[in-house]
Each structure stands twice: as C-alpha cells, then as structure tokens.
Amino acid sequence: SLDFPSRPTIERYLAEEHVIVSYNGDLRGVVEDLLGLRRKVRISVPTFAHVGAAVDGTGLLATVPDIIARDLIKTRPHLRTALKPFSLSGTPMELLWRSASEGDGAVSFVRKHIERIAAQIPSQKKSQPRHKTSKKI
C-alpha cells in the first residue's frame, strides 16, 4: 500500500497481502518455512522474474533478495522498497533446473560452474555453515 513504511514492524508486514515465489506452486515461501511466520499470500509466482508484473499496480507486497529488488526498481522505478522486519541471513541458495535437461552436457557444464562460483562467495556470518542445495524440477 502507499502508506507502507520503509521500516515496517513485523505486525505491519504480516498485515499486508503478499506475492510469493514458489517453485512448487504452493502458497508457502521461505518466510513460512524458515521463520514459521504466516503471511496473507494472495498470489504465488514460479520465479522472481514474475514478481514485478504481479505487484505492479497492486497493493501486494513481495519479499525478494536485494539483487532482485534492485533490478525491479531499475525496470519499474515507480515501485518502492522497504526493509524486512526480520533477518533471512543464512538462507540457503538453490540452483534449479528442468529434469529434461539433466543429460544435456552444456547445461551440466554451466551448472557446475555456477556451483563453483557460488561456493566461493563468502558467507555473511562465518559461524554459520554454508548451505548448498541443488534441485532439478
């Protein structure tokens, strides 16, 4: 909504209606799974690429990684960002690919390089173990 604060309380955040990214097509996301919070999810989209279209022109709220938010603002400068009222540091990063491309040598080559590069990214908290998850869909 237009009056949504740049630093919302957890209560205010949960009072809003949300768009989530769910690779499974359900109405749960990382906020529900890792933090145990319950949002009013109105739309589930399959990838972060769909978030901008889903929230544009609505009062819906989407919780996205900073890099996604920056890209959304570049292409849709009328959208606003706000800080999350919680931390998602240590959230596992997932690499997804279609099972139909499992035997594709070029896809496998790129996937292995992405995993190698991602493994070199320093952890935000040195005390937390690094998470590496790959999934095929």
Side-chain angles (χ1 to χ4, degrees):
S1 66
L2 292 175
D3 64 340
F4 192 74
S6 61
R7 288 184 159 276
T9 63
I10 190 72
E11 294 80 16
R12 179 60 194 274
Y13 172 85
L14 293 173
E16 297 294 318
E17 294 183 329
H18 295 259
V19 171
I20 66 159
V21 174
S22 172
Y23 306 113
N24 299 322
D26 58 14
L27 298 178
R28 281 186 10 261
V30 69
V31 171
E32 288 75 19
D33 291 346
L34 294 179
L35 302 178
L37 298 174
R38 303 218 13 106
R39 295 179 286 176
K40 296 180 203 173
V41 177
R42 298 297 177 236
I43 300 174
S44 172
V45 295
T47 69
F48 287 111
H50 295 91
V51 170
V55 300
D56 205 347
T58 74
L60 297 172
L61 184 67
T63 303
V64 299
D66 292 338
I67 192 167
I68 301 297
R70 284 191 298 273
D71 284 346
L72 280 172
I73 295 300
K74 284 179 189 173
T75 59
R76 298 171 192 264
H78 54 281
L79 294 180
R80 294 182 331 135
T81 61
L83 297 173
K84 298 179 297 295
F86 46 78
S87 172
L88 287 174
S89 64
T91 304
M93 184 183 305
E94 296 180 336
L95 176 59
L96 305 171
W97 64 92
R98 299 210 176 275
S99 58
S101 67
E102 186 68 23
D104 185 313
V107 173
S108 179
F109 173 83
V110 170
R111 189 173 56 242
K112 283 181 178 30
H113 282 287
I114 291 170
E115 290 174 347
R116 181 184 53 79
I117 292 166
Q120 295 173 5
I121 297 172
S123 175
Q124 295 211 358
K125 289 187 175 183
K126 296 294 183 189
S127 61
Q128 289 187 346
R130 297 276 308 161
H131 297 282
K132 181 178 136 192
T133 304
S134 295
K135 289 184 181 179
K136 59 181 172 180
I137 53 175

